[in-house]
Amino acid sequence: SLIPAGSRVLDLGCGSGALLHELVSRKGCSGYGIELDDQNLLAAAERGVNVLQLDLEQGLAMFKDQSFDVVLQLQTLQQVRHAEGMLRETVRVGRRGIVSFPNFAHWPNRLQVALGRMPVTRRLPYQWYDTPNIRVGTYKDFEALATKNRLRILDSFGLQEGEAVRFLPNALAGTAVFHFERSA
């Protein structure tokens, strides 16, 4: 719902291309998916999604400034080494960005850490030693990072069991979602 009909979209870490396919089919959007994994790349191509095999760690230099209306980083930001640089690239190539990531401050995670263990939950299903997430962050951490990088948050909320959480999302939501643009 954060993506207007007809938008030109770049989906960073698009996986199998399911979301981009839905946006093209249902909302008349256009754009590209970026994916590194061979199997996901093939699945996206088989769906008819325009997909490029690129390593996000190398940046988005192939795209001109403001090439897209919306750049998506859904469950991707926590898996890149240069998260801050990726955010800057997001607002360079896109007018707006949407990011989602596991919220490490969700109360079940806090409880597991208080009991001396790294969290393993539905949102964080991996053990500490085999997770693809190279960093952990919280809803509040992203707010601070956005301020530091002069990003204007247009909307933010948490997700829990598919429902939006707007009351105390830092504690009550397993996933953080932010819709933002570069400040003027």
Side-chain angles (χ1 to χ4, degrees), residues 111-136:
L111 179 59
Q112 288 185 44
V113 169
L115 294 173
R117 299 292 307 266
M118 286 299 289
V120 177
T121 65
R122 187 177 301 155
R123 286 291 316 119
L124 295 167
Y126 302 95
Q127 294 292 331
W128 66 271
Y129 52 83
D130 68 358
T131 181
N133 301 320
I134 60 173
R135 61 186 75 258
V136 294

Side-chain angles (χ1 to χ4, degrees), residues 27-105:
K27 289 189 139 187
C29 295
S30 62
Y32 292 92
I34 304 294
E35 182 56 51
L36 187 59
D37 180 79
D38 290 335
Q39 289 181 334
N40 281 336
L41 187 77
L42 179 60
E46 287 174 345
R47 276 196 161 95
V49 169
N50 296 320
V51 61
L52 302 168
Q53 189 169 32
L54 295 173
D55 182 351
L56 292 177
E57 299 291 355
Q58 305 303 314
L60 302 174
M62 71 181 299
F63 297 108
K64 293 181 183 178
D65 293 0
Q66 305 297 289
S67 297
F68 299 92
D69 299 311
V70 181
V71 177
L72 304 174
Q73 290 184 67
L74 308 179
Q75 304 303 316
T76 303
L77 192 62
Q78 76 277 4
Q79 296 180 3
V80 296
R81 293 198 183 288
H82 306 289
E84 191 171 10
M86 194 81 267
L87 284 175
R88 285 193 294 270
E89 281 288 88
T90 295
V91 294
R92 180 187 68 77
V93 303
R95 288 174 179 76
R96 294 192 169 163
I98 300 172
V99 65
S100 71
F101 56 90
N103 176 29
F104 202 73

